[in-house]
């Protein structure tokens, strides 16, 4: 039996992870509003106030991808679900081979494999992503990369 809510959740999730995985073939304007609102953790991330447009968000994602060899992948471990008719929610796992870049304080050699988990919450307006919340484990990533953790990051 076809579940329209599951279809919406999977369609949006596939667009979103396609962008993160570098496999998206759809123009981001088709699934992200121009004046998107982003909520990021403080540690290891740019200020949310610097990511206020679709172009800012896609540029940030491209910057993240550039630190990993081709083939790095985000994949849902749980979900995605459509909650309340407007939120797509999924727990994901990222696996990739770091090739340098961010974090600049990493001490491991390029070629180090990493794996981290997180949760994305995407609020939809008219079928497009209008707001994004990220909860991930940057401290775990920094640990895997032997990166220095700035003072106060754990508070």
């Amino acid at each position: 039996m076809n579940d329209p809510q599951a279809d919406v959740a999977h369609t949006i999730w596939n667009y979103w992870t396609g962008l993160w995985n570098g496999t998206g073939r759809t123009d981001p304007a088709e699934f992200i509003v121009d004046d998107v609102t982003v909520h990021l953790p403080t540690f290891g991330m740019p200020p949310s106030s610097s990511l206020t447009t679709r172009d800012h968000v896609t540029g940030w994602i491209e910057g993240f991808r550039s630190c990993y060899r081709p083939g790095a992948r985000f994949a849902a471990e749980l979900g995605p679900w459509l909650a309340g008719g407007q939120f797509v929610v999924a727990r994901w796992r990222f696996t990739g081979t770091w090739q340098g870049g961010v974090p600049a304080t990493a001490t491991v050699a390029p070629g180090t494999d990493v794996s981290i988990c997180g949760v994305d919450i995407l609020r939809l307006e008219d079928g497009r992503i209008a707001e994004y919340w990220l909860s991930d484990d940057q401290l775990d990533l920094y640990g895997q990369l032997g990166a220095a953790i700035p003072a106060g990051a754990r508070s």
Side-chain angles (χ1 to χ4, degrees):
M1 182 171 231
N2 194 12
D3 179 354
Q5 288 197 342
D7 290 347
V8 168
H10 282 91
T11 297
I12 293 295
W13 185 255
N14 288 337
Y15 285 144
W16 185 243
T17 56
L19 185 61
W20 280 98
N21 290 330
T23 59
R25 301 203 188 345
T26 303
D27 179 356
E30 291 185 32
F31 67 97
I32 302 174
V33 301
D34 184 50
D35 59 343
V36 64
T37 301
V38 175
H39 308 275
L40 300 176
T42 303
F43 177 74
M45 297 287 172
S48 294
S49 61
S50 70
L51 301 171
T52 58
T53 70
R54 176 179 48 246
D55 290 343
H56 293 154
V57 171
T58 57
W60 167 60
I61 291 170
E62 289 167 5
F64 176 86
R65 276 200 337 256
S66 73
C67 296
Y68 295 89
R69 290 185 182 157
R73 188 164 194 289
F74 282 86
E77 289 189 324
L78 293 171
W81 298 284
L82 186 66
Q86 66 175 347
F87 295 95
V88 174
V89 180
R91 175 183 161 88
W92 49 260
R93 177 169 297 278
F94 169 76
T95 54
T97 303
W98 186 73
Q99 64 183 13
V102 177
T105 59
T107 59
V108 299
T112 298
D113 291 333
V114 300
S115 176
I116 63 168
C117 295
V119 173
D120 281 358
I121 302 170
L122 309 168
R123 186 179 62 78
L124 307 180
E125 281 181 8
D126 299 322
R128 295 190 302 161
I129 299 165
E131 201 162 2
Y132 165 51
W133 289 264
L134 168 64
S135 177
D136 70 352
D137 197 343
Q138 287 291 303
L139 290 175
D140 188 25
L141 178 62
Y142 272 54
Q144 291 176 54
L145 295 175
I149 298 170
R154 294 183 184 142
S155 56

